[in-house]
Amino acid sequence: MSLVKLIDLPDLGDHRGGLVAIEENQAIPFPIKRVYYIYCTKPDVVRGFHAHRALRQVAVCIAGKCNILLDDGNTRVSVDLDLPNKAVVIEPLIWHEMHDFTADCVLLVFASDYYDESDYIRSYDEFLTLVKK
Ligand code: TYD
């Protein structure tokens, strides 16, 4: 399985400005149960630092930019989220960290399930143990 799965969200913009339409089971490869967004993050603040056991997510910066590091336990890849139609899929058992938020960044995330703290793996050692099984 490829560590980095980018989605080119359909941009329907024209001379009046941008317009991106996002539909579940279309551009987003799962039924969407939750949407959340991260904003007003200070440039020197990092977020994430966890993996999920089952949750699937798609993240896109609809304003500003950030960088997301994806780690499957063997390989670490860093992806710039720097366009409002460039989304990345965060699959289960992928450790992810978000860095380098610009002050204007709004990171929008689509999730396949409701919030459930028990789905989080917040220890990198535990994550490595799980993925190397
Ligand atoms: P957390 O997942 O730690 O944020 P990040 O991945 O950006 O570092 O979430 C921060 C807090 O918000 C934590 O207490 C869990 C809570 N939270 C919810 O209640 N619902 C949600 O949908 C999300 C994403 C977080």
Side-chain angles (χ1 to χ4, degrees):
M1 191 173 62
S2 162
L3 175 55
V4 179
K5 292 185 196 169
L6 293 177
I7 298 174
D8 199 8
L9 297 170
D11 193 338
L12 311 171
D14 56 26
H15 64 281
R16 297 168 297 172
L19 194 167
V20 175
I22 298 170
E23 298 183 351
E24 68 175 358
N25 294 323
Q26 302 291 326
I28 306 296
F30 48 76
I32 300 162
K33 282 202 178 158
R34 178 166 51 108
V35 176
Y36 63 92
Y37 47 93
I38 290 168
Y39 67 102
C40 282
T41 298
K42 304 284 177 291
D44 54 344
V45 167
V46 291
R47 302 201 61 140
F49 287 79
H50 60 253
H52 288 280
R53 297 174 201 280
L55 189 72
R56 301 185 75 198
Q57 301 188 96
V58 169
V60 55
C61 280
I62 57 168
K65 300 174 187 180
C66 74
N67 177 272
I68 184 163
L69 181 141
L70 303 170
D71 177 346
D72 63 5
N74 291 307
T75 309
R76 307 195 119 200
V77 179
S78 183
V79 177
D80 286 327
L81 294 178
D82 51 3
L83 292 169
N85 69 328
K86 177 182 178 183
V88 67
V89 184
I90 308 167
E91 295 286 12
L93 295 181
I94 299 293
W95 185 264
H96 51 284
E97 303 172 5
M98 286 84 83
H99 299 261
D100 301 333
F101 288 89
T102 57
D104 59 344
C105 180
V106 180
L107 178 64
L108 181 66
V109 183
F110 301 90
S112 65
D113 215 338
Y114 304 116
Y115 174 74
D116 175 6
E117 184 60 35
S118 70
D119 187 67
Y120 280 69
I121 305 159
R122 294 195 183 269
S123 151
Y124 190 70
D125 287 344
E126 186 190 347
F127 163 72
L128 280 185
T129 306
L130 271 173
V131 293
K132 292 196 185 294
K133 261 186 194 163

